[in-house]
Structures are given as structure tokens and as C-alpha cells.
Amino acid sequence: DAGVTQSPTHLIKTRGQQVTLRCSPKSGHDTVSWYQQALGQGPQFIFQYYEEEERQRGNFPDRFSGHQFPNYSSELNVNALLLGDSALYLCASSHGLAGVYGELFFGEGSRLTVL
Amino acid sequence: QQPVQSPQAVILREGEDAVINCSSSKALYSVHWYRQKHGEAPVFLMILLKGGEQKGHEKISASFNEKKQQSSLYLTASQLSYSGTYFCGTLLIDKIIFGKGTRLHILP
């Protein structure tokens, strides 16, 4: 049983560029949450997708957008990249909102470096 | 809204005990604990629900004081494998908000 998979694992972009990160949830999970983790900090909630809709959003600008596909996989898009967007982006999956009452399964993350 | 963790870092010798605290300015419904080893994904340790049973992991247990809006994680007879960063998370309108973490380093 594959866990949460994310791609790419590492990428380097320059300021102003756009990036797309991908996530496949654990089998049987239908909810995907995205977190940004800066070096030495805790994961910061970006947004959550369920039934192909954004259900919750954290304090992130509109440059951060996402999508969930019918197979429950998800993408995170960041436009007009800033140096401060450099971070580890974590995807976490759960079965419905049960995840917030139980366990989130995290992927290994995509490490984004903006130069 | 972000829970506050203390201490920020702990260094222990193998076999010693440690306590990590998590507090919130908001009323807590549940507290979630995760551990992240260097270069790895956070891994679920336990959840404590308001008025519910605490669920332990190995020699790690936790308490939840609803009135004080606090939770504490207890690591007993620590092992080298316990090294990592511990995060507490609190539930806020169906999303989990994490603290900044407590770095735990176990020395042999």
C-alpha cells in the first residue's frame, strides 16, 4: 500500500517564475492538505481540498492556488515566486475530515529553492 | 492561533525522561502530536480528544488539560530513536495548526 507520494522531491526556480507541485494521497484517502515548512519551523497550513473543492485556507496570498482531481490527487501552484517561498512543501492526506480527528499521513515533501 | 511549544530544544542522555508542553490561547477540542526526524515526513504519534481517552505510543504518553488549554507530551526512558522534532497541532475549524516544534536530541 503506497503512502503519500509527492513530486518533484527537489526543485530550483528563480524569482517571478511559477511552480507546480504534485501529490498523490494514500490509498483510500480523499482529503489533501498542503503545508509549507520553512527551515526550523513548524508546518504552516496552506489549504485543504475535499471533493475537488478548497475547503479551508490558511493565511497565504492568492499566488498560492491548488486543485484536486477526481482521483483525489492534488496540485499546488505558486505564481510569481518570491525568495521567501523557499521551503519544504508537505502534502498530507486523510479520509475525509476524519483526519482532523485522527491521523494525517504526510508525504516526504517537495523542497523548493527560489533564487 | 498557533499553539506555543516549550521548550524549543532539549538535549537528553539515553534513558532520561523529557516533557514537552503545548499551550493555546484558544479553547481546545483536540491536540495532535507528531514527530519529524531530520529529512523525513512528520509521523503521527497520538491524538487527545476533549473529554476522551489519551492514546499512547511506545513509552510516549500525553496529557490534555482542557481548562488550561494545555497538553504535555511525556517521553519516558528516552531512546536514541526518539530524537527528532516534536510538533503539537490544534484543531481550528477542521484544519490542524501546528506549533513551531521542540527539537529533541538524545545522546548515547
Side-chain angles (χ1 to χ4, degrees):
Chain A
D1 177 27
V4 179
T5 58
Q6 293 187 240
S7 63
T9 54
H10 296 80
L11 67 167
I12 300 174
K13 294 286 187 177
T14 57
R15 281 177 294 177
Q17 285 190 312
Q18 178 265 344
V19 68
T20 297
L21 308 178
R22 297 176 176 81
C23 172
S24 292
K26 179 180 171 64
S27 178
H29 286 182
D30 54 10
T31 302
V32 172
S33 300
W34 286 94
Y35 289 83
Q36 179 196 65
Q37 186 176 27
L39 198 61
Q41 299 295 315
Q44 298 291 310
F45 179 81
I46 303 175
F47 41 54
Q48 175 189 79
Y49 278 86
Y50 174 67
E51 293 186 336
E52 300 180 50
E53 290 189 8
E54 183 181 292
R55 298 291 177 165
Q56 295 284 339
R57 189 176 182 91
N59 188 26
F60 279 80
D62 293 344
R63 298 187 296 108
F64 289 77
S65 63
H67 188 77
Q68 186 178 37
F69 300 94
N71 66 353
Y72 308 119
S73 66
S74 177
E75 287 183 351
L76 164 64
N77 301 291
V78 186
N79 296 321
L81 285 168
L82 304 173
L83 295 179
D85 294 332
S86 295
L88 179 67
Y89 289 84
L90 293 165
C91 169
S93 74
S94 59
H95 180 62
L97 294 179
V100 299
Y101 303 107
E103 182 175 356
L104 287 176
F105 287 81
F106 282 88
E108 298 277 338
S110 293
R111 179 154 312 272
L112 170 65
T113 301
V114 182
L115 301 177
Chain B
Q1 294 180 345
Q2 183 181 39
V4 177
Q5 292 185 232
S6 63
Q8 291 185 328
V10 184
I11 299 176
L12 296 176
R13 292 210 172 272
E14 198 172 9
E16 292 182 336
D17 302 338
V19 179
I20 300 173
N21 301 302
C22 174
S23 63
S24 174
S25 60
K26 300 282 187 181
L28 294 176
Y29 177 83
S30 63
V31 178
H32 307 239
W33 287 96
Y34 285 76
R35 177 173 64 205
Q36 184 178 30
K37 294 183 178 290
H38 183 70
E40 299 181 8
V43 174
F44 174 80
L45 292 177
M46 66 183 66
I47 178 175
L48 300 101
L49 297 174
K50 184 177 181 180
E53 180 181 340
Q54 54 178 290
K55 179 180 175 182
H57 176 270
E58 299 173 348
K59 293 182 180 178
I60 301 173
S61 62
S63 64
F64 182 18
N65 188 322
E66 301 162 22
K67 289 185 178 180
K68 292 186 177 181
Q69 298 166 189
Q70 294 176 345
S71 176
S72 294
L73 188 71
Y74 305 96
L75 297 99
T76 304
S78 58
Q79 305 170 12
L80 293 175
S81 61
Y82 288 2
S83 290
T85 302
Y86 290 77
F87 296 101
C88 74
T90 56
L91 185 61
L92 180 66
I93 315 175
D94 294 336
K95 59 183 179 286
I96 299 175
I97 306 299
F98 290 97
K100 293 185 176 181
T102 296
R103 291 183 300 280
L104 177 65
H105 187 63
I106 310 295
L107 300 173

